[in-house]
Amino acid sequence: KYDHAAATGSRGSYDPQLSYAYAKRGQVLLCEHWAQQRKESAVFVSCHPGWVDTPAVAHAYGARKRYLEPMRSAWEGAEGICWLAVAGAEELESG
């Protein structure tokens, strides 16, 4: 269940990882909602690259980054998003 106070830090301390997780989950829920409301010509999808070895991850997790192994390269992280950009609508499932 979404807890706005916890996600924004208005109650307790701000947790950037929790906020990121809520944002990612929100993208999935939004696509599901749009898919239910859609016209036949529209397809709504979301994609997460997985854990990608980037400077942002290194900064956010520091030494704890090792627990995210194995991590993907930047190319591997972009691969799914690139596929979505060129895939035909018949290959995609909305929502």
Side-chain angles (χ1 to χ4, degrees):
K1 182 178 174 190
Y2 175 70
D3 184 343
H4 183 76
T8 61
S10 61
R11 182 186 72 233
S13 61
Y14 174 71
D15 182 341
Q17 282 83 21
L18 181 62
S19 295
Y20 179 80
Y22 273 131
K24 288 285 133 190
R25 181 66 181 138
Q27 290 172 348
V28 171
L29 294 173
L30 187 58
C31 281
E32 290 174 355
H33 173 76
W34 285 341
Q36 292 171 356
Q37 308 298 317
R38 75 181 173 104
K39 300 201 184 293
E40 291 302 316
S41 63
V43 177
F44 297 96
V45 295
S46 63
C47 180
H48 190 288
W51 288 109
V52 177
D53 193 5
T54 65
V57 170
H59 176 74
Y61 288 90
R64 295 174 297 151
K65 182 176 97 168
R66 69 180 182 271
Y67 297 116
L68 304 175
E69 299 289 343
M71 295 182 70
R72 304 177 87 199
S73 70
W75 168 251
E76 291 168 329
E79 191 173 23
I81 296 166
C82 291
W83 181 84
L84 279 174
V86 299
E90 68 280 354
E91 297 180 79
L92 303 173
E93 182 178 336
S94 194

